[in-house]
Amino acid sequence: MGEFSIANSPYTYINDSDWPSEAVGVHHVVVRKSFLRRLCVPLTAVSLLANSVYLFLVKEQSVSVLCWSFLLTGFLLILSLWKPVYKESVIIMPAFGVQLETHYSSGRIVRSFVPVGKILKPVLLECVTPVTCYWSLSLIVRGEEELMLVFKELHPPLKILVPIWKALCAAIDYRGKPDAFREDG
Amino acid sequence: MTHAYGNRSGVRYMTGGLKVYYVPWRPFLMQNTLPTFYGTLPIIRTILIRERISLVHGHQAFSTLCHEALMHARTMGYKVVFTDHSLYGFADVGSIHMNKVLQFTLADVSQAICVSHTSKENTVLRSGLLPEKVFVIPNAVDAAMFKPAPERPSSNDIVIVVISRLVYRKGADLLVEVIPEVCRLHPNIRFIVGGDGPKRVRLEEMREKHSLQDRVEMLGAVPHAHVRSVLISGHIFLNSSLTEAFCIAILEAASCGLLTVSTRVGGVPEVLPDDMIILAEPDPRDMVRAIMKAVSILPRIDPQVMHDRMKKLYSWHDVAKRTEIVYNRALKCSNQNLIERVSRYLSCGAWAGKLFCLVMIIDFLLWRLLQLLQPAGDIEEVPDFILPHQHQESEVLEDFKEQCLG
């Protein structure tokens, strides 16, 4: 059982497995709610209150001011609810496969299972977007053209991805495939 | 770092462990991305921090990404080197604007590199840069790839090879005048023309008009890997460019043992020794005279001797060593704060100077804002990754894992 969080990063890593006793390996990455996001709910409440007071007290106002105030409130509301991922998990069962889970704040859980026979290799890749660059852990799946992302919503840092990648490699290796550990650059 | 080419996007590793970032910005004109001024600041900052960069080297005055990257690098305090590969004019509207942009970029560059002395003169005049800051490092040729044919093409015909983009700048119009005249004067000469471009139509028309289909062969675009095989099928290489900062093509031809005939423009006279090249004015009559002279001295040329001389004169190792000296000099330049740097821009012109200052100040403010929103400590550094040989694989992986986990 291991847990660590990284300074300056909103992610915490929790390891529930008791490897190497060949039991199931469970890895969680939990999102700590950032300070800004925690402010959003009270800010929304304050702005709604201000809106209603304003409407009540001031009789004449232009339509545009009304619209802008509602838009602002709506925006703050969306910001506080948007990207509601609370946790993403990887459950590694060496003999069967890998289960990927995404837990949302609303309670919804999205799960997907990849049988061990279909996984060719887990790879750590750098993804480049027009504004940023980050590491991602993916699985090369037999028969699929696209890589399957292990963490679909979150972008955990490399320090969190490496132990999970090691565990995935060990699980794949365990089933007796002759491929050596190799990182794709 | 460059922009994405079609599907080629993301991070790739080249031979020797060179890491290339293909940033998914779409090129909109002539392989250039849209100039966004500040749009590239986030990704450039991320790459410079995560790769622990000490120095940024930009190439080519026509690249918008280059100018933006150099501007952002200067704002963030990195040392900057710029290499100019081409000559530009002063007279037309496009050149005037380009020169102003160049003046902006080079106002604050640590060092600059040009590929020939002519190019150095041109760059210094266009940008107002101090000549002491400009180094001249000529390009080189891969002598291992461009070797002469084991045996010379044995026919009675003399084959003249032309490989260039068929555009105005490369003198395609001169070729249209020169080729029929040479074919008329010397019945044993054949031409091989490789390359494609808007002027290809004119060359095809010329072939039709003078019925030279059996004496002029048009190959179309030649991939770089096949250039050597085209070159070794000839005896003489003809270059008719109207402007050229350096011209690697004639280096490749000389390395393959061909005698070169070229127009005396730009940096071309600096490239080859006088006995390997015959120069002519960019005028059809003078070029025909030069070709005839080349034909007469052809029997005295030994391709292997020429190749050995080229191997000694030009090598990429030498270019790398000299570039390293420039880098060391750049790194020794003093750090300057915003006020000192902004004062350099003011001297660029009455209106332009103030505009440049404004651009740099906004860039500085945006950088500070970005530092607030995404502190440098949040951007994790990439571990050093050395490409493994076969037996070292597991050691490299262990090393990588150690670096990642800190």
Side-chain angles (χ1 to χ4, degrees):
Chain A
M1 172 79 180
E3 171 174 336
F4 63 83
S5 59
I6 298 176
N8 301 329
S9 156
Y11 301 108
T12 308
Y13 168 65
I14 304 170
N15 184 347
D16 272 338
S17 37
D18 25 300
W19 182 268
S21 64
E22 284 148 84
V24 169
V26 182
H27 307 264
H28 304 286
V29 175
V30 182
V31 182
R32 286 198 308 270
K33 263 208 166 150
S34 70
F35 176 66
L36 277 174
R37 215 165 279 273
R38 258 180 265 190
L39 267 185
C40 274
V41 175
L43 266 180
T44 322
V46 164
S47 123
L48 261 174
L49 195 65
N51 255 343
S52 19
V53 167
Y54 185 66
L55 282 171
F56 183 68
L57 289 178
V58 181
K59 305 297 178 198
E60 292 169 23
Q61 67 261 295
S62 59
V63 181
S64 58
V65 172
L66 254 178
C67 287
W68 277 116
S69 61
F70 278 119
L71 268 172
L72 180 67
T73 320
F75 176 69
L76 279 172
L77 205 67
I78 292 169
L79 207 61
S80 60
L81 296 177
W82 182 55
K83 213 155 188 223
V85 178
Y86 151 69
K87 176 171 82 166
E88 287 210 65
S89 309
V90 182
I91 301 165
I92 306 171
M93 295 161 273
F96 296 110
V98 174
Q99 170 133 315
L100 309 170
E101 294 181 357
T102 307
H103 299 245
Y104 293 89
S105 314
S106 51
R108 188 165 68 105
I109 306 176
V110 175
R111 297 184 173 91
S112 75
F113 179 75
V114 189
V116 73
K118 280 196 88 179
I119 303 177
L120 286 170
K121 201 182 285 187
V123 292
L124 281 168
L125 290 175
E126 290 172 277
C127 301
V128 184
T129 69
V131 289
T132 188
C133 183
Y134 57 89
W135 285 94
S136 73
L137 178 58
S138 315
L139 299 170
I140 303 181
V141 179
R142 192 190 299 272
E144 301 279 330
E145 264 187 29
E146 305 236 337
L147 296 171
M148 177 182 289
L149 283 170
V150 169
F151 293 105
K152 295 181 173 44
E153 304 283 345
L154 303 180
H155 296 158
L158 197 61
K159 283 201 165 78
I160 292 180
L161 290 178
V162 169
I164 305 176
W165 170 65
K166 271 170 78 173
L168 281 167
C169 288
I172 308 296
D173 224 40
Y174 166 77
R175 73 184 158 169
K177 274 213 130 179
D179 288 326
F181 289 0
R182 238 193 298 143
E183 191 233 4
D184 273 310
Chain B
M1 186 187 114
T2 177
H3 65 77
Y5 286 84
N7 272 344
R8 192 171 253 257
S9 166
V11 171
R12 294 223 182 186
Y13 287 85
M14 302 286 164
T15 324
L18 176 71
K19 185 171 179 181
V20 184
Y21 280 82
Y22 291 93
V23 180
W25 285 88
R26 242 180 220 172
F28 85 116
L29 178 69
M30 276 170 44
Q31 302 274 358
N32 265 327
T33 47
L34 191 67
T36 61
F37 280 97
Y38 306 110
T40 44
L41 179 60
I43 182 70
I44 288 174
R45 176 172 176 262
T46 306
I47 292 175
L48 292 181
I49 292 176
R50 74 199 302 265
E51 296 287 346
R52 288 166 292 182
I53 300 294
S54 1
L55 186 143
V56 178
H57 186 169
H59 290 263
Q60 194 57 293
F62 233 87
S63 162
T64 49
L65 192 58
C66 166
H67 288 293
E68 285 182 35
L70 295 186
M71 169 172 85
H72 298 315
R74 275 316 278 155
T75 307
M76 295 191 268
Y78 291 93
K79 303 289 187 293
V80 150
V81 177
F82 176 75
T83 297
D84 201 353
H85 292 267
S86 308
L87 296 177
Y88 290 101
F90 296 83
D92 55 296
V93 178
S95 295
I96 293 175
H97 287 305
M98 205 62 242
N99 293 345
K100 216 60 195 170
V101 172
L102 189 68
Q103 204 178 8
F104 167 67
T105 301
L106 294 189
D108 197 24
V109 81
S110 312
Q111 302 291 340
I113 300 175
C114 288
V115 292
S116 64
H117 293 281
T118 314
S119 173
K120 174 174 172 173
E121 240 183 85
N122 185 264
T123 303
V124 165
L125 285 171
R126 275 158 54 217
S127 64
L129 189 59
L130 291 170
E132 296 88 61
K133 279 196 173 178
V134 185
F135 291 77
V136 175
I137 303 179
N139 290 320
V141 67
D142 186 1
M145 183 164 145
F146 289 94
K147 285 196 169 92
E151 281 168 20
R152 253 187 143 166
S154 61
S155 56
N156 289 329
D157 286 349
I158 295 175
V159 181
I160 300 184
V161 176
V162 180
I163 301 186
S164 81
R165 281 180 297 135
L166 300 175
V167 294
Y168 167 72
R169 208 178 142 98
K170 296 288 182 184
D173 298 300
L174 276 175
L175 282 180
V176 169
E177 311 279 322
V178 163
I179 293 180
E181 186 62 25
V182 169
C183 288
R184 187 181 67 82
L185 285 175
H186 208 294
N188 279 357
I189 291 185
R190 281 193 299 118
F191 281 86
I192 297 180
V193 178
D196 207 348
K199 297 281 181 180
R200 186 176 174 177
V201 180
R202 284 204 69 194
L203 281 163
E204 303 273 10
E205 281 173 4
M206 176 261 309
R207 266 173 99 206
E208 298 285 326
K209 188 169 154 195
H210 298 274
S211 311
L212 293 170
Q213 286 89 340
D214 54 337
R215 295 184 66 188
V216 176
E217 193 184 336
M218 307 278 296
L219 294 176
V222 180
H224 195 254
H226 298 163
V227 166
R228 186 220 166 216
S229 52
V230 174
L231 286 173
I232 58 175
S233 63
H235 303 92
I236 296 176
F237 183 78
L238 177 61
N239 175 52
S240 54
S241 307
L242 298 179
T243 171
E244 201 67 80
F246 186 76
C247 202
I248 299 192
I250 59 181
L251 270 191
E252 291 171 351
S255 184
C256 288
L258 276 77
L259 181 62
T260 307
V261 174
S262 175
T263 43
R264 187 184 284 116
V265 289
V268 170
E270 299 174 37
V271 178
L272 289 177
D274 292 331
D275 53 338
M276 289 194 200
I277 185 169
I278 295 163
L279 295 168
E281 299 305 316
D283 169 68
R285 266 201 303 253
D286 206 28
M287 289 185 71
V288 171
R289 174 205 61 84
I291 294 177
M292 290 300 127
K293 183 167 171 209
V295 167
S296 68
I297 67 173
L298 195 57
R300 285 185 266 150
I301 301 294
D302 182 347
Q304 193 56 43
V305 167
M306 210 187 243
H307 170 80
D308 292 332
R309 274 178 79 188
M310 290 306 297
K311 219 163 56 168
K312 287 204 198 72
L313 285 173
Y314 287 101
S315 94
W316 285 113
H317 288 291
D318 184 49
V319 171
K321 256 197 308 206
R322 289 159 83 165
T323 311
E324 217 181 326
I325 295 175
V326 178
Y327 288 162
N328 289 332
R329 187 76 77 86
L331 286 172
K332 287 204 189 86
C333 284
S334 55
N335 287 328
Q336 290 183 317
N337 62 22
L338 181 66
I339 315 293
E340 290 168 57
R341 289 176 43 234
V342 155
S343 58
R344 281 208 215 173
Y345 287 105
L346 279 173
S347 59
C348 285
W351 286 106
K354 299 185 177 61
L355 180 64
F356 294 162
C357 285
L358 190 63
V359 168
M360 286 312 282
I361 290 171
I362 296 179
D363 198 37
F364 181 80
L365 292 171
L366 282 172
W367 173 52
R368 285 294 187 202
L369 180 66
L370 215 52
Q371 277 187 316
L372 218 64
L373 291 174
Q374 189 188 28
D378 281 359
I379 301 175
E380 39 171 11
E381 291 173 358
V382 175
D384 282 326
F385 179 63
I386 311 150
L387 285 178
H389 298 294
Q390 298 247 310
H391 54 277
Q392 284 175 335
E393 237 174 70
S394 51
E395 286 163 28
V396 170
L397 269 179
E398 284 312 310
D399 187 49
F400 175 80
K401 286 172 198 167
E402 261 174 51
Q403 281 189 60
C404 294
L405 300 174

